[in-house]
Amino acid sequence: MWRSANLWLVPVLYLSFALLARLAALGNERCWTLAKLLGLAGLSLAALALAQTVLFGAKTVMLPGAVQLGTWGAITFHARADLIGNLFMVMVNLIGWIIIGFSQRYLSGEAGQRRYVISLLVTLAAVNVVVISNNMIVLALAWVLTSIALHSLLTFYPLRTQAIFAAHKKFIVSRIADVCLFIAIGIIAHQTGSLELDQIAATISALPALNRDLQIAAVLLALTAALKCAQLPFHGWLIQVMEAPTPVSALLHAGVVNLGGFLLIRFSFLMVASAPAQLLLVFIGAITAVCAALVMMTRISIKVSLAWSTCAQMGFMLMQCGLGVYELAALHLLAHSLYKAYAFLNSGSTNARLNLKAGQPDSLGLGNRLLSGCAGLMIVFALFYLIHPSTSIAQPLFAFAVIIALALAPLLSFNLSRDSILNNFKFVGYAAALVLVYLALHQVFADHLGVSVTDHAGWMTLRVGVVVALFVGLHLLQSVVLEKTYRPLFERLYPMFFGGFYLDDLFTRLTFWIWPAPLKNGTHQPSSRPSRSV
């Protein structure tokens, strides 16, 4: 009971103060002071919950009371106290506490600060419920509340037309995702007779194979995550919400958009048993990651470039889930959240950066770039086999070994072109140390998640082959376009990259034709798409 009370106290505190601020006419200073105290209290309670899990082990903690739903099970407020959930809880409350303090300075002198604080606290409360809930219905309802509260933050400036358009597109995409999620929950509950995640996991793990209905539920969960994580071609709203306040962008990109990945981690016991769902995640995630990385190369605006980076990172995370390495997806989400929160909150101190069109690319030589990729492969695979000398690398880890090697190539290509041999050894050592840290963290998360990778009739080979081909192709294309020799080629590709491959245009026209966005003066957005953010 005391562990359950500790977990649920965090969202209860946030919601209680949001209700108090709504009913009582608190001044701006009083709202901010109490909100910061609540943020610190939420962080402290989350850290205490993490310490309890480390000391006493993972556990499903229960509160009395339930609402029976017949053969589907019951709606309860049971909470999951496990390492992954508690780590995410600490991360959410840490970022929330920082954003509350940053928002007070950012919005100083603005109207509507009390409304902003209320929406921010409701968002944090809902995200905490998503992270700790063991009941599928409670998790889904909290996710819907997160979206609605975030919508209020995205439209904080009601006269900014682009903000209204982007929030409206997000609202439509989120409602489609909600429909997919609730249908999936209904199917799972009907097939297993429970709404509790731990009981469902035990039931599905005992099955020799998923039946057709559970396969459909897994595919719907994959679609839900893709929609919530702003994957192509439903990504436009994530790029176009830059008219919202900067701390809202940080909250969205560092926390809320990551919930799609967290959902897949929570349902990993189902997803790893469904080949169609895994294949869908790999294709959507890998293609989004590659395309968004190419588009990001052309952007001047720091915030827009960061938004495309988030789109690419979410695609990479879905691809990790599609390959069955959920421990890497969890590690990626935590690292991305912390990095992206800092990047957005620090974006105001950076004026702009030169893009490939405006500036001159570094001419390190195409051969040097390709050789650096080969050097990265040698370093990574040597360390992999050094750690596991008696076993072969599993196929998914082979794919990520290639990706890590390609990620090290820019570091190696820039520094190994120097004359100093000592300098070369130093940066090779840095690269090796990064790989070792990554492998160690992977092992820690793998031990606690315990998700086994399953090959379904050879489909794993197809998934790994698609991933490796796409990322090797991305490395080759980026190496080519960064060289002056191939400048005419990039001049022809630049408009397509800059336009985001025009994938958002059709979706925007369709959604605004079906449901125009209401503007402040009561008019509506015409059927044509809004201007593209640059």
Side-chain angles (χ1 to χ4, degrees), residues 7 21 40 62 150 169 204 229 288 339 345 403 422 474 501:
L7 289 170
L40 183 58
M62 303 179 182
L150 183 65
K169 289 172 63 177
I204 290 179
C229 291
T288 298
Y339 155 71
L345 296 180
I403 294 172
L422 180 61
L474 174 64
F501 300 94

Side-chain angles (χ1 to χ4, degrees), residues 358-431:
Q360 289 297 321
D362 297 324
S363 185
L364 298 176
L366 180 59
N368 183 42
R369 294 181 188 276
L370 298 180
L371 286 175
S372 298
C374 295
L377 285 171
M378 293 175 62
I379 293 172
V380 171
F381 280 101
L383 292 174
F384 266 77
Y385 282 107
L386 181 65
I387 295 174
H388 303 288
S390 60
T391 60
S392 60
I393 301 178
Q395 285 184 318
L397 293 183
F398 172 83
F400 286 101
V402 174
I403 294 172
I404 294 169
L406 297 178
L408 293 175
L411 172 70
L412 296 172
S413 64
F414 180 76
N415 292 288
L416 295 184
S417 61
R418 310 296 178 83
D419 294 332
S420 172
I421 296 178
L422 180 61
N423 183 74
N424 294 346
F425 277 110
K426 180 175 68 174
F427 281 99
V428 169
Y430 288 162

Side-chain angles (χ1 to χ4, degrees), residues 288-369:
T288 298
V290 170
C291 292
L294 292 173
V295 175
M296 189 175 64
M297 296 169 63
T298 67
R299 298 299 172 145
I300 296 176
S301 168
I302 295 297
K303 289 180 69 175
V304 173
S305 178
L306 288 173
W308 277 106
S309 168
T310 298
C311 185
Q313 296 289 344
M314 291 300 99
F316 191 82
M317 177 272 304
L318 291 185
M319 182 194 72
Q320 290 172 316
C321 293
L323 290 176
V325 281
Y326 287 88
E327 63 276 9
L328 291 183
L331 173 61
H332 186 88
L333 283 180
L334 287 169
H336 172 262
S337 296
L338 296 174
Y339 155 71
K340 199 53 66 74
Y342 169 79
F344 265 100
L345 296 180
N346 192 52
S347 61
S349 63
T350 308
N351 294 324
R353 67 179 179 85
L354 289 177
N355 68 350
L356 291 176
K357 184 73 172 179
Q360 289 297 321
D362 297 324
S363 185
L364 298 176
L366 180 59
N368 183 42
R369 294 181 188 276

Side-chain angles (χ1 to χ4, degrees), residues 138-484:
V138 175
L139 184 153
L141 291 176
W143 203 353
V144 173
L145 180 59
T146 301
S147 177
I148 294 173
L150 183 65
H151 186 84
S152 177
L153 293 173
L154 294 175
T155 57
F156 179 74
Y157 297 119
L159 298 181
R160 294 187 178 182
T161 305
Q162 281 295 101
I164 302 300
F165 292 160
H168 185 68
K169 289 172 63 177
K170 180 197 176 298
F171 188 87
I172 294 173
V173 172
S174 295
R175 299 296 72 79
I176 298 173
D178 293 339
V179 171
C180 293
L181 176 59
F182 278 103
I183 293 175
I185 287 174
I187 294 173
I188 295 170
H190 178 71
Q191 292 293 315
T192 62
S194 176
L195 291 169
E196 302 298 321
L197 288 172
D198 56 345
Q199 297 177 15
I200 296 168
T203 301
I204 290 179
S205 299
L207 297 175
L210 297 183
N211 59 28
R212 183 195 61 184
D213 290 344
L214 288 176
Q215 292 279 5
I216 293 173
V219 171
L220 287 172
L221 288 174
L223 289 174
T224 300
L227 289 166
K228 288 285 189 177
C229 291
Q231 298 298 278
L232 302 178
F234 310 105
H235 64 290
W237 63 268
L238 185 67
I239 313 302
Q240 296 156 2
V241 295
M242 296 302 105
E243 293 280 348
T246 294
V248 176
S249 298
L251 178 67
L252 171 63
H253 288 261
V256 177
V257 77
N258 295 324
L259 289 181
F262 184 80
L263 176 78
L264 294 177
I265 293 171
R266 275 291 187 243
F267 284 90
S268 58
F269 55 84
L270 173 65
M271 304 305 294
V272 293
S274 174
Q278 296 283 85
L279 192 61
L280 180 63
L281 288 173
V282 166
F283 273 96
I284 292 177
I287 292 173
T288 298
V290 170
C291 292
L294 292 173
V295 175
M296 189 175 64
M297 296 169 63
T298 67
R299 298 299 172 145
I300 296 176
S301 168
I302 295 297
K303 289 180 69 175
V304 173
S305 178
L306 288 173
W308 277 106
S309 168
T310 298
C311 185
Q313 296 289 344
M314 291 300 99
F316 191 82
M317 177 272 304
L318 291 185
M319 182 194 72
Q320 290 172 316
C321 293
L323 290 176
V325 281
Y326 287 88
E327 63 276 9
L328 291 183
L331 173 61
H332 186 88
L333 283 180
L334 287 169
H336 172 262
S337 296
L338 296 174
Y339 155 71
K340 199 53 66 74
Y342 169 79
F344 265 100
L345 296 180
N346 192 52
S347 61
S349 63
T350 308
N351 294 324
R353 67 179 179 85
L354 289 177
N355 68 350
L356 291 176
K357 184 73 172 179
Q360 289 297 321
D362 297 324
S363 185
L364 298 176
L366 180 59
N368 183 42
R369 294 181 188 276
L370 298 180
L371 286 175
S372 298
C374 295
L377 285 171
M378 293 175 62
I379 293 172
V380 171
F381 280 101
L383 292 174
F384 266 77
Y385 282 107
L386 181 65
I387 295 174
H388 303 288
S390 60
T391 60
S392 60
I393 301 178
Q395 285 184 318
L397 293 183
F398 172 83
F400 286 101
V402 174
I403 294 172
I404 294 169
L406 297 178
L408 293 175
L411 172 70
L412 296 172
S413 64
F414 180 76
N415 292 288
L416 295 184
S417 61
R418 310 296 178 83
D419 294 332
S420 172
I421 296 178
L422 180 61
N423 183 74
N424 294 346
F425 277 110
K426 180 175 68 174
F427 281 99
V428 169
Y430 288 162
L434 287 173
V435 176
L436 288 174
V437 169
Y438 187 78
L439 291 175
L441 290 173
H442 161 255
Q443 191 60 49
V444 170
F445 277 73
D447 291 341
H448 288 277
L449 269 176
V451 179
S452 59
V453 180
T454 306
D455 188 3
H456 301 278
W459 282 32
M460 179 63 75
T461 303
L462 173 62
R463 284 181 268 163
V464 170
V466 168
V467 170
V468 171
L470 283 173
F471 278 86
V472 169
L474 174 64
H475 176 71
L476 292 174
L477 182 58
Q478 287 181 327
S479 298
V480 167
V481 300
L482 285 170
E483 291 302 317
K484 294 180 181 179

